[in-house]
């Protein structure tokens, strides 16, 4: 903002071009479009604000937050999942949940996350070569990629971070805060499921568990 003259004209210019600002922030910080507030509403709110009183951006603070999201949160999620695995499973019954076990005639059977439920082969495997090409561009170490590197690719789906967070939780089958090639392929499969308008499962169905993570009796 100008120090003395032209403040109002500059403010008007920034508000009118807010959409371009959104796009710039999205590209530079890998933020999903769904996590931005309504453009029209934000423009209306900014019209009444004094821009000169806004605090200056602090790059070091942003770096600290990025490090927290990439490392601290990943470690915390491992602990949370370990605790969840010790909790007894809760099954919802009755009402709208009745009749969902009627074989292939149950609601949503074989669709969305249920696709491939009767297949011998892992349903994700058919698209895995495509996902593998992307995986090996994300600098895997010891066959795994970090949450930060996975995020760079996953946000391209433009799904809200809340949804991507649930997908990450489902795909990180071994709960180590990293994704191997099978888990990354699974994450992309679940993104595809969501983009096609289907709901994500509360827990990963047995037929979607990567072959290397299945328990062999």
């Amino acid at each position: 903002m100008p120090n003395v003259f032209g403040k109002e004209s500059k403010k008007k210019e920034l508000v009118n071009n807010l959409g371009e600002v959104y796009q710039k922030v999205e590209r530079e910080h890998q933020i999903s479009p769904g996590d931005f507030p309504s453009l029209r509403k934000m423009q209306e709110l900014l019209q009444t604000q004094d821009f000169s009183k806004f605090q200056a951006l602090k790059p070091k603070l942003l770096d600290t937050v990025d490090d927290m999201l990439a490392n601290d949160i990943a470690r915390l999620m491992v602990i949370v999942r370990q605790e969840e695995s010790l909790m007894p499973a809760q099954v919802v019954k009755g009402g709208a949940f009745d009749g969902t076990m009627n074989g292939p005639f149950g609601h949503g059977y074989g669709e969305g996350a249920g696709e491939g439920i009767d297949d011998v082969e892992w349903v994700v495997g058919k698209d895995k070569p495509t996902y593998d090409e992307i995986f090996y561009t994300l600098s895997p170490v010891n066959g795994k990629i970090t949450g930060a590197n996975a995020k760079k690719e996953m946000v391209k789906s433009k799904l809200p971070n809340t949804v991507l967070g649930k997908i990450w939780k489902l795909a990180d089958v071994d709960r180590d805060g990293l994704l191997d090639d099978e888990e990354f392929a699974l994450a992309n499969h679940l993104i595809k499921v969501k983009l096609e308008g289907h709901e994500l499962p509360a827990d990963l169905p047995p037929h979607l568990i990567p072959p290397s993570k299945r328990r062999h009796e």
Side-chain angles (χ1 to χ4, degrees):
M1 293 292 292
N3 291 325
V4 183
F5 301 107
K7 289 184 178 181
E8 284 303 314
S9 60
K10 184 61 177 179
K11 173 182 174 179
K12 183 177 180 180
E13 177 188 337
L14 290 171
V15 171
N16 289 339
N17 296 330
L18 187 60
E20 296 178 8
V21 175
Y22 274 20
Q23 292 177 358
K24 181 180 179 182
V25 174
E26 178 187 339
R27 288 193 304 269
E28 292 183 357
H29 299 283
Q30 292 86 48
I31 298 176
S32 297
D35 287 325
F36 285 90
S38 164
L39 178 61
R40 182 185 59 79
K41 186 174 182 180
M42 181 58 70
Q43 287 174 320
E44 292 176 355
L45 290 172
L46 289 174
Q47 293 286 0
T48 61
Q49 302 298 314
D50 183 352
F51 283 21
S52 64
K53 294 182 179 180
F54 287 178
Q55 294 292 321
L57 186 66
K58 299 178 180 178
K60 288 186 178 180
L61 181 59
L62 288 179
D63 290 340
T64 300
V65 173
D66 282 341
D67 181 68
M68 176 190 70
L69 292 173
N71 300 298
D72 296 345
I73 296 299
R75 287 192 290 268
L76 179 62
M77 288 304 296
V78 172
I79 297 173
V80 170
R81 288 167 185 150
Q82 290 173 343
E83 292 181 352
E84 287 179 343
S85 67
L86 300 176
M87 297 174 63
Q90 297 182 348
V91 180
V92 181
K93 298 181 178 179
F97 292 91
D98 283 340
T100 58
M101 301 301 290
N102 298 328
F105 300 99
H107 177 69
Y109 189 94
E111 302 174 358
E115 180 187 357
I117 191 170
D118 294 324
D119 295 350
V120 175
E121 299 295 330
W122 188 39
V123 67
V124 182
K126 62 184 180 181
D127 294 320
K128 189 172 181 293
T130 300
Y131 301 143
D132 282 349
E133 291 183 10
I134 301 172
F135 178 81
Y136 288 107
T137 68
L138 300 176
S139 306
V141 176
N142 296 325
K144 299 195 174 189
I145 59 174
T146 64
N149 285 343
K151 177 183 176 183
K152 292 176 183 178
E153 183 62 30
M154 292 173 69
V155 296
K156 294 179 182 178
S157 67
K158 301 188 184 300
L159 290 172
N161 279 351
T162 50
V163 175
L164 293 176
K166 183 174 183 179
I167 289 173
W168 171 274
K169 183 177 179 180
L170 291 169
D172 185 16
V173 180
D174 57 12
R175 301 175 179 178
D176 63 354
L178 304 168
L179 297 184
D180 62 21
D181 60 316
E182 287 184 332
E183 292 172 321
F184 180 73
L186 174 59
N188 279 278
H189 178 77
L190 293 172
I191 287 174
K192 178 183 175 184
V193 166
K194 187 62 180 176
L195 290 175
E196 289 176 348
H198 301 286
E199 291 301 315
L200 295 171
D203 298 295
L204 192 65
H207 72 281
L208 287 183
I209 297 176
S212 68
K213 305 293 191 298
R214 296 175 184 177
R215 295 178 180 176
H216 300 287
E217 300 297 335

